[in-house]
Amino acid sequence: MSGMNKKHTPERTCVVCREKLDKRILHRIVRTDAGLYLDPSGKMNGRGAYLCDKKSCWELAVKTNILNKSLRTILTEQDRERLKQAIP
């Protein structure tokens, strides 16, 4: 019975490396009608995708179409620039 009081921590998967991590560790990128934004609160309305802290994951997300598929959109150059500036 010792494990019954353990609080559930939500996990999400990085869309690039597919590693499952605690939701609070990952960075959420959200697609809204106004474009792509980083969502530090994790509560913005819109379709979201998660990236881990690895620089290689961010670089692949910017260079390839991985986010296009997961966010069901086509990234604009402005979106890609915004992501480049946010690379940890």
Side-chain angles (χ1 to χ4, degrees):
M1 283 198 153
S2 62
M4 292 183 72
N5 291 334
K6 190 174 181 183
K7 189 174 180 181
H8 171 74
T9 56
E11 289 186 336
R12 299 294 183 265
T13 303
C14 173
V15 294
V16 178
C17 68
R18 309 303 297 167
E19 187 176 348
K20 281 192 172 203
L21 297 166
D22 186 326
K23 178 183 175 182
R24 291 169 283 177
I25 296 172
L26 296 169
H27 302 274
R28 184 171 186 249
I29 298 166
V30 65
R31 180 198 75 197
T32 66
D33 293 335
L36 248 61
Y37 294 96
L38 287 174
D39 179 15
S41 70
K43 296 180 182 195
M44 274 179 84
N45 287 334
R47 183 159 188 89
Y50 292 86
L51 288 173
C52 65
D53 276 340
K54 295 178 193 166
K55 188 176 180 179
S56 59
C57 286
W58 281 77
E59 289 171 347
L60 267 175
V62 170
K63 290 178 187 175
T64 64
N65 292 326
I66 291 172
L67 287 174
N68 287 353
K69 185 175 181 181
S70 56
L71 293 173
R72 297 182 187 163
T73 190
I74 297 174
L75 269 65
T76 64
E77 277 306 310
Q78 287 178 324
D79 293 332
R80 291 184 193 278
E81 258 323 296
R82 222 177 286 141
L83 289 175
K84 279 183 194 176
Q85 292 173 2
I87 293 175

